[in-house]
Amino acid sequence: MAPQILNVIPKPQKIEFAEGEFVLSGKTAVSACKELSSAKKFLQEYLEHCTPQKISGDRKCEITLGLEKSLENLGEEGYVLDIQPGKMTIASSSPKGVFYGLQTFRQLLFSSEKGKIPCLKIEDSPRLGWRGMMLDEGRHFFGKEFVKKFIDMLALYKMNSFHWHLTEDQGWRIEIKKYPKLTSVGSKRAESPIEGNRNAGDDKPYEGFYTQDDIREIVKYAGDRFINVVPEIEMPGHAAAAIASYPELGNSDIMDYKPEVKTRWGVHYYTFSPTEKTFKFLEDVIEEVVALFPGRYFHIGGDEAPKDQWKNSPTAQRFILDNGLKDEHELQSYFIKRIETILKKHNRVLIGWDEIQEGGLSPTAAMMVWRDWKWASMALKNGNCIVMAPNSHTYFDHYQEDPKEHKEPEAIGGLLPIDKVYLFNPVIEGITPEEEKRILGAQGQLWSEYLFNTDKVEFMAFPRMFALAEVVWTNPENKNYGDFMTRLKTTLALLDHMKVKYRNPF
Ligand code: ACM
């Protein structure tokens, strides 16, 4: 048979075409074992949402979802999709794999003509285990309905991790019962930079936060779609909103100490003060946050914490002396290790941006590489697990085409065209097989300084996220950029159908 293009992203690892076709009809019978009742519900929902013209005729057909122990070799996220005339089977050793098989089916159905899908057999499993997207809601707040829509998109493209950046200098977005001022004060700023002039304020108060009930609802929504939500609570820097809420948590013994929820973007000097009061506060916050997020990883930020205030604070200097630390960098390391001890009591793994290496990193922590790749090699040598999130290939707040042409609305800067994302290889070269196992996966970043609304989030996320989805799911030998761009055309039509905005690269 002539080679065919299968309109699925990320590209499945193994596709064998066969003769004939499966025709979806109004008389489709769905069967599934009890453990797959949730998958069956999803399938029924997908069938209801497919436009009526996808259903042709009323020939009987059958879709079976099954769990098969013999498929354990594909891993729990792997699946087999077997399409024959009148009969389709999705099987996996676990409900996760069945869910991913369903996502492949959804895309095939959408790209089909009148519900006719060619007979074939797909055997599929992911290249990497951490397939993520990060959304910054500190700079802008997008709300529950959007976050659910975003999670739906992650699921459709087989991403399994949603990193939720919930606290920033410009806003604290998660309710903490023990510290109500974090939201009554910290979730509000007096104004924001105006679009087109970063140094001028718009004179419009801005606010927003998630209640603990909202968070539980979103975490459950994501979990039903096999997406783990990783919360991020920033420390010791990017903490101005928390410090504005409780000024005693900052370095209050320095000159000109005036904490406020920040109204401009950029790196700010306000850091938590190293005191027992601060550690108690963070311990309390962590206790409430872990109760809401059942996943193993807890992100503590750790990036861009200027040392200026610690250098000028007699309290911080005394703390350095009392604890036998050499300097402020060792204080940063002490800070991270203290927090790791708290997280370990809750059976959580600390993960942070690559500055957590400063002054030495505990080998049991995990690290997210965003700057130079040399930090990745260093962490692997130190025994850490890492997630690749380099600004060179995964910062979706950068321009998508040459900014000199002024074709796009304002972005933070940089240039990250879709082909560069597609060619990204998160498995760095020159490492041992054991080190390679500790590269958990990769993640795209949606920093939101210039993502003024949800349309802009979608414009920056899509279609670059699809290129990343293929990077993390599909083995390099099965990837091809030209083929991807062909498949992308169908995916963009699917986005239109789902009322998702995107940048059209064609
Ligand atoms: C970062 O971009 N500051 C992690």
Side-chain angles (χ1 to χ4, degrees), residues 142 146 149 400 409 450-462 499-503:
F142 304 113
F146 176 75
K149 185 184 180 195
Q400 311 190 50
Y450 299 91
L451 309 189
F452 305 98
N453 52 49
T454 56
D455 281 0
K456 185 77 183 286
V457 179
E458 294 180 350
F459 179 85
M460 299 303 266
F462 312 122
K499 300 195 170 32
V500 174
K501 301 276 194 313
Y502 54 87
R503 173 182 173 272

mmCIF file of all heavy atoms in Angstrom, residues 142 146 149 400 409 450-462 499-503:
data_model
loop_
_atom_site.group_PDB
_atom_site.id
_atom_site.type_symbol
_atom_site.label_atom_id
_atom_site.label_comp_id
_atom_site.label_asym_id
_atom_site.label_seq_id
_atom_site.Cartn_x
_atom_site.Cartn_y
_atom_site.Cartn_z
ATOM 1 N N PHE A 142 -6.021 33.749 34.814
ATOM 2 C CA PHE A 142 -6.879 33.372 33.680
ATOM 3 C C PHE A 142 -8.197 32.710 34.088
ATOM 4 O O PHE A 142 -9.134 32.686 33.304
ATOM 5 C CB PHE A 142 -6.091 32.483 32.714
ATOM 6 C CG PHE A 142 -4.830 33.146 32.238
ATOM 7 C CD1 PHE A 142 -3.571 32.663 32.597
ATOM 8 C CD2 PHE A 142 -4.890 34.312 31.485
ATOM 9 C CE1 PHE A 142 -2.416 33.301 32.192
ATOM 10 C CE2 PHE A 142 -3.733 34.962 31.069
ATOM 11 C CZ PHE A 142 -2.492 34.461 31.425
ATOM 12 N N PHE A 146 -10.822 28.641 31.909
ATOM 13 C CA PHE A 146 -9.720 28.583 30.949
ATOM 14 C C PHE A 146 -8.750 27.464 31.313
ATOM 15 O O PHE A 146 -8.268 26.734 30.442
ATOM 16 C CB PHE A 146 -8.957 29.909 30.858
ATOM 17 C CG PHE A 146 -7.778 29.777 29.939
ATOM 18 C CD1 PHE A 146 -7.968 29.735 28.569
ATOM 19 C CD2 PHE A 146 -6.487 29.611 30.439
ATOM 20 C CE1 PHE A 146 -6.893 29.538 27.705
ATOM 21 C CE2 PHE A 146 -5.406 29.411 29.581
ATOM 22 C CZ PHE A 146 -5.615 29.384 28.213
ATOM 23 N N LYS A 149 -9.984 24.254 30.073
ATOM 24 C CA LYS A 149 -9.859 24.153 28.616
ATOM 25 C C LYS A 149 -8.404 23.847 28.225
ATOM 26 O O LYS A 149 -8.126 23.040 27.339
ATOM 27 C CB LYS A 149 -10.314 25.488 27.993
ATOM 28 C CG LYS A 149 -10.368 25.510 26.492
ATOM 29 C CD LYS A 149 -10.749 26.919 26.008
ATOM 30 C CE LYS A 149 -10.809 26.999 24.490
ATOM 31 N NZ LYS A 149 -10.814 28.407 24.022
ATOM 32 N N GLN A 400 7.384 34.176 17.754
ATOM 33 C CA GLN A 400 7.346 32.992 16.896
ATOM 34 C C GLN A 400 7.961 33.280 15.540
ATOM 35 O O GLN A 400 8.293 32.376 14.798
ATOM 36 C CB GLN A 400 5.909 32.498 16.739
ATOM 37 C CG GLN A 400 5.233 32.403 18.109
ATOM 38 C CD GLN A 400 3.891 31.716 18.110
ATOM 39 O OE1 GLN A 400 3.742 30.630 17.583
ATOM 40 N NE2 GLN A 400 2.911 32.350 18.735
ATOM 41 N N PRO A 409 1.781 40.467 18.013
ATOM 42 C CA PRO A 409 1.630 41.366 19.156
ATOM 43 C C PRO A 409 2.846 41.256 20.082
ATOM 44 O O PRO A 409 3.617 40.295 20.002
ATOM 45 C CB PRO A 409 0.362 40.868 19.841
ATOM 46 C CG PRO A 409 0.050 39.536 19.253
ATOM 47 C CD PRO A 409 0.760 39.427 17.957
ATOM 48 N N TYR A 450 3.355 39.140 29.225
ATOM 49 C CA TYR A 450 2.762 39.725 28.016
ATOM 50 C C TYR A 450 1.601 38.871 27.492
ATOM 51 O O TYR A 450 1.167 39.050 26.363
ATOM 52 C CB TYR A 450 3.850 39.951 26.956
ATOM 53 C CG TYR A 450 4.879 40.918 27.520
ATOM 54 C CD1 TYR A 450 5.992 40.454 28.215
ATOM 55 C CD2 TYR A 450 4.660 42.287 27.452
ATOM 56 C CE1 TYR A 450 6.879 41.341 28.823
ATOM 57 C CE2 TYR A 450 5.543 43.174 28.047
ATOM 58 C CZ TYR A 450 6.650 42.699 28.740
ATOM 59 O OH TYR A 450 7.508 43.573 29.343
ATOM 60 N N LEU A 451 1.108 37.981 28.327
ATOM 61 C CA LEU A 451 -0.084 37.205 27.961
ATOM 62 C C LEU A 451 -1.253 37.882 28.680
ATOM 63 O O LEU A 451 -1.638 37.494 29.778
ATOM 64 C CB LEU A 451 0.065 35.731 28.367
ATOM 65 C CG LEU A 451 1.362 35.033 27.907
ATOM 66 C CD1 LEU A 451 1.283 33.530 28.174
ATOM 67 C CD2 LEU A 451 1.666 35.278 26.449
ATOM 68 N N PHE A 452 -1.762 38.931 28.056
ATOM 69 C CA PHE A 452 -2.728 39.804 28.716
ATOM 70 C C PHE A 452 -4.100 39.161 28.884
ATOM 71 O O PHE A 452 -4.895 39.589 29.710
ATOM 72 C CB PHE A 452 -2.874 41.116 27.924
ATOM 73 C CG PHE A 452 -1.566 41.823 27.711
ATOM 74 C CD1 PHE A 452 -0.859 41.695 26.526
ATOM 75 C CD2 PHE A 452 -1.027 42.609 28.727
ATOM 76 C CE1 PHE A 452 0.353 42.337 26.343
ATOM 77 C CE2 PHE A 452 0.186 43.252 28.542
ATOM 78 C CZ PHE A 452 0.878 43.121 27.357
ATOM 79 N N ASN A 453 -4.392 38.165 28.075
ATOM 80 C CA ASN A 453 -5.696 37.502 28.165
ATOM 81 C C ASN A 453 -5.574 36.078 27.636
ATOM 82 O O ASN A 453 -4.509 35.683 27.134
ATOM 83 C CB ASN A 453 -6.742 38.298 27.377
ATOM 84 C CG ASN A 453 -6.257 38.578 25.965
ATOM 85 O OD1 ASN A 453 -5.805 37.680 25.261
ATOM 86 N ND2 ASN A 453 -6.315 39.841 25.562
ATOM 87 N N THR A 454 -6.671 35.332 27.714
ATOM 88 C CA THR A 454 -6.593 33.905 27.362
ATOM 89 C C THR A 454 -6.361 33.702 25.853
ATOM 90 O O THR A 454 -5.720 32.735 25.458
ATOM 91 C CB THR A 454 -7.867 33.171 27.805
ATOM 92 O OG1 THR A 454 -9.001 33.816 27.211
ATOM 93 C CG2 THR A 454 -8.026 33.185 29.310
ATOM 94 N N ASP A 455 -6.861 34.621 25.020
ATOM 95 C CA ASP A 455 -6.597 34.495 23.577
ATOM 96 C C ASP A 455 -5.098 34.535 23.308
ATOM 97 O O ASP A 455 -4.573 33.801 22.475
ATOM 98 C CB ASP A 455 -7.251 35.654 22.790
ATOM 99 C CG ASP A 455 -8.747 35.427 22.594
ATOM 100 O OD1 ASP A 455 -9.256 34.388 23.065
ATOM 101 O OD2 ASP A 455 -9.394 36.291 21.984
ATOM 102 N N LYS A 456 -4.431 35.411 24.046
ATOM 103 C CA LYS A 456 -2.981 35.548 23.846
ATOM 104 C C LYS A 456 -2.251 34.299 24.356
ATOM 105 O O LYS A 456 -1.258 33.877 23.756
ATOM 106 C CB LYS A 456 -2.489 36.803 24.567
ATOM 107 C CG LYS A 456 -1.028 37.140 24.363
ATOM 108 C CD LYS A 456 -0.731 37.782 23.020
ATOM 109 C CE LYS A 456 0.739 38.058 22.802
ATOM 110 N NZ LYS A 456 1.273 39.181 23.560
ATOM 111 N N VAL A 457 -2.751 33.704 25.441
ATOM 112 C CA VAL A 457 -2.135 32.453 25.925
ATOM 113 C C VAL A 457 -2.214 31.404 24.814
ATOM 114 O O VAL A 457 -1.224 30.737 24.488
ATOM 115 C CB VAL A 457 -2.851 31.903 27.185
ATOM 116 C CG1 VAL A 457 -2.192 30.595 27.645
ATOM 117 C CG2 VAL A 457 -2.831 32.918 28.325
ATOM 118 N N GLU A 458 -3.399 31.290 24.212
ATOM 119 C CA GLU A 458 -3.577 30.270 23.169
ATOM 120 C C GLU A 458 -2.719 30.579 21.941
ATOM 121 O O GLU A 458 -2.143 29.675 21.336
ATOM 122 C CB GLU A 458 -5.063 30.169 22.797
ATOM 123 C CG GLU A 458 -5.878 29.636 23.974
ATOM 124 C CD GLU A 458 -7.369 29.499 23.704
ATOM 125 O OE1 GLU A 458 -7.860 29.979 22.671
ATOM 126 O OE2 GLU A 458 -8.049 28.911 24.554
ATOM 127 N N PHE A 459 -2.612 31.847 21.611
ATOM 128 C CA PHE A 459 -1.797 32.270 20.464
ATOM 129 C C PHE A 459 -0.330 31.885 20.675
ATOM 130 O O PHE A 459 0.364 31.482 19.740
ATOM 131 C CB PHE A 459 -1.934 33.794 20.299
ATOM 132 C CG PHE A 459 -1.131 34.382 19.178
ATOM 133 C CD1 PHE A 459 -1.639 34.401 17.883
ATOM 134 C CD2 PHE A 459 0.125 34.926 19.407
ATOM 135 C CE1 PHE A 459 -0.906 34.957 16.847
ATOM 136 C CE2 PHE A 459 0.870 35.479 18.369
ATOM 137 C CZ PHE A 459 0.349 35.492 17.078
ATOM 138 N N MET A 460 0.148 32.010 21.904
ATOM 139 C CA MET A 460 1.553 31.695 22.169
ATOM 140 C C MET A 460 1.769 30.190 22.374
ATOM 141 O O MET A 460 2.834 29.661 22.074
ATOM 142 C CB MET A 460 2.042 32.454 23.409
ATOM 143 C CG MET A 460 1.981 33.976 23.285
ATOM 144 S SD MET A 460 2.898 34.617 21.882
ATOM 145 C CE MET A 460 4.483 34.996 22.648
ATOM 146 N N ALA A 461 0.754 29.510 22.897
ATOM 147 C CA ALA A 461 0.919 28.077 23.204
ATOM 148 C C ALA A 461 0.800 27.209 21.959
ATOM 149 O O ALA A 461 1.519 26.207 21.811
ATOM 150 C CB ALA A 461 -0.131 27.648 24.230
ATOM 151 N N PHE A 462 -0.122 27.591 21.074
ATOM 152 C CA PHE A 462 -0.435 26.725 19.929
ATOM 153 C C PHE A 462 -0.070 27.428 18.626
ATOM 154 O O PHE A 462 -0.437 28.598 18.456
ATOM 155 C CB PHE A 462 -1.924 26.369 19.941
ATOM 156 C CG PHE A 462 -2.401 25.903 21.284
ATOM 157 C CD1 PHE A 462 -3.438 26.547 21.946
ATOM 158 C CD2 PHE A 462 -1.774 24.827 21.921
ATOM 159 C CE1 PHE A 462 -3.867 26.124 23.202
ATOM 160 C CE2 PHE A 462 -2.195 24.403 23.179
ATOM 161 C CZ PHE A 462 -3.246 25.055 23.815
ATOM 162 N N LYS A 499 -12.861 25.828 19.160
ATOM 163 C CA LYS A 499 -12.812 27.252 19.525
ATOM 164 C C LYS A 499 -11.565 27.597 20.344
ATOM 165 O O LYS A 499 -11.612 28.288 21.363
ATOM 166 C CB LYS A 499 -14.079 27.666 20.270
ATOM 167 C CG LYS A 499 -15.334 27.452 19.422
ATOM 168 C CD LYS A 499 -16.529 28.179 19.976
ATOM 169 C CE LYS A 499 -17.716 28.178 19.033
ATOM 170 N NZ LYS A 499 -17.899 27.028 18.147
ATOM 171 N N VAL A 500 -10.465 27.061 19.871
ATOM 172 C CA VAL A 500 -9.165 27.383 20.474
ATOM 173 C C VAL A 500 -8.425 28.277 19.493
ATOM 174 O O VAL A 500 -8.350 27.987 18.311
ATOM 175 C CB VAL A 500 -8.353 26.089 20.744
ATOM 176 C CG1 VAL A 500 -6.959 26.433 21.237
ATOM 177 C CG2 VAL A 500 -9.072 25.203 21.750
ATOM 178 N N LYS A 501 -7.877 29.382 20.023
ATOM 179 C CA LYS A 501 -7.121 30.303 19.168
ATOM 180 C C LYS A 501 -5.699 29.775 19.003
ATOM 181 O O LYS A 501 -5.194 29.050 19.839
ATOM 182 C CB LYS A 501 -7.047 31.689 19.815
ATOM 183 C CG LYS A 501 -8.399 32.307 20.072
ATOM 184 C CD LYS A 501 -8.914 33.001 18.839
ATOM 185 C CE LYS A 501 -10.084 33.923 19.119
ATOM 186 N NZ LYS A 501 -11.129 33.349 19.954
ATOM 187 N N TYR A 502 -5.037 30.191 17.920
ATOM 188 C CA TYR A 502 -3.659 29.760 17.688
ATOM 189 C C TYR A 502 -3.027 30.703 16.694
ATOM 190 O O TYR A 502 -3.707 31.512 16.059
ATOM 191 C CB TYR A 502 -3.624 28.327 17.144
ATOM 192 C CG TYR A 502 -4.469 28.130 15.906
ATOM 193 C CD1 TYR A 502 -3.960 28.381 14.637
ATOM 194 C CD2 TYR A 502 -5.804 27.734 16.021
ATOM 195 C CE1 TYR A 502 -4.739 28.237 13.509
ATOM 196 C CE2 TYR A 502 -6.595 27.585 14.897
ATOM 197 C CZ TYR A 502 -6.068 27.844 13.630
ATOM 198 O OH TYR A 502 -6.831 27.714 12.522
ATOM 199 N N ARG A 503 -1.737 30.600 16.552
ATOM 200 C CA ARG A 503 -1.054 31.350 15.505
ATOM 201 C C ARG A 503 -0.948 30.420 14.294
ATOM 202 O O ARG A 503 -0.458 29.298 14.431
ATOM 203 C CB ARG A 503 0.341 31.760 15.942
ATOM 204 C CG ARG A 503 1.116 32.397 14.810
ATOM 205 C CD ARG A 503 2.518 32.783 15.188
ATOM 206 N NE ARG A 503 3.217 33.222 13.993
ATOM 207 C CZ ARG A 503 3.879 32.420 13.173
ATOM 208 N NH1 ARG A 503 3.982 31.134 13.404
ATOM 209 N NH2 ARG A 503 4.463 32.905 12.097
#
